[in-house]
Amino acid sequence: MAITYMTQAGYKKKMEEIAYLENVKRPEISRAIAEARDKGDLSENAEYDAAKEAQGMLEMKISQLKDLVANARIIDDSKLNTEEVQILNSVTIKNVKTGAQMKYTIVADSEANIREGKIASSTPIAKGLIGHKVGEVVEIQVPSGKMQFEIVNISID
């Protein structure tokens, strides 16, 4: 299993998710299995089959989350700087061709959420920005071709 970098907040969120799945969802599924089993013949009991399938999926999800946090490395916020783009920086970039500006925060893959403007460090845009400074123009290969972005600002939010 690969090492996953995450913030303290991201780690806490994953631990809360594990606790919820184990303490709330697992008992719910166990009750559903018991109720279905009480209805008699298991060979033709679709409710029982569905509940057992849900149980298997839940246990797999719990196992994956536990593996993720077991291999997590917490990023020390105090070591962050804004001299050049790095993980956990918020970066304002300008599309050189269109002039459109966007702001992204580069985060660990497990914390990415495009609706919140958080992009995974493994994405082409993040990889293309990391290590560059304000004022630099970087050329990044994206699915639609090569794009040029100027780094307008680097901050820590």
Side-chain angles (χ1 to χ4, degrees), residues 36-145:
R37 194 176 23 235
D38 291 345
K39 292 183 179 168
D41 185 8
L42 297 181
S43 64
E44 294 179 18
N45 189 331
E47 278 180 57
Y48 178 79
D49 292 341
K52 286 299 277 182
E53 170 125 354
Q55 182 184 43
M57 299 296 278
L58 176 74
E59 294 304 326
M60 187 172 70
K61 174 111 174 125
I62 291 170
S63 175
Q64 287 172 339
L65 285 168
K66 284 185 171 182
D67 284 348
L68 183 74
V69 297
N71 293 293
R73 298 291 178 269
I74 308 301
I75 298 165
D76 182 354
D77 296 9
S78 69
K79 302 248 190 306
L80 298 177
N81 70 61
T82 57
E83 302 231 345
E84 59 183 38
V85 179
Q86 60 183 338
I87 193 164
L88 293 189
N89 282 155
S90 290
V91 186
T92 304
I93 56 175
K94 180 171 79 177
N95 182 321
V96 173
K97 190 174 180 183
T98 66
Q101 284 197 8
M102 296 146 284
K103 182 178 179 180
Y104 297 114
T105 302
I106 300 173
V107 297
D109 292 7
S110 62
E111 297 178 48
N113 183 335
I114 195 68
R115 284 191 303 274
E116 294 175 7
K118 296 178 179 180
I119 61 170
S121 58
S122 64
T123 61
I125 290 178
K127 283 181 178 176
L129 294 173
I130 289 174
H132 292 280
K133 298 177 177 4
V134 170
E136 286 187 40
V137 174
V138 294
E139 189 170 89
I140 300 172
Q141 181 70 44
V142 294
S144 60

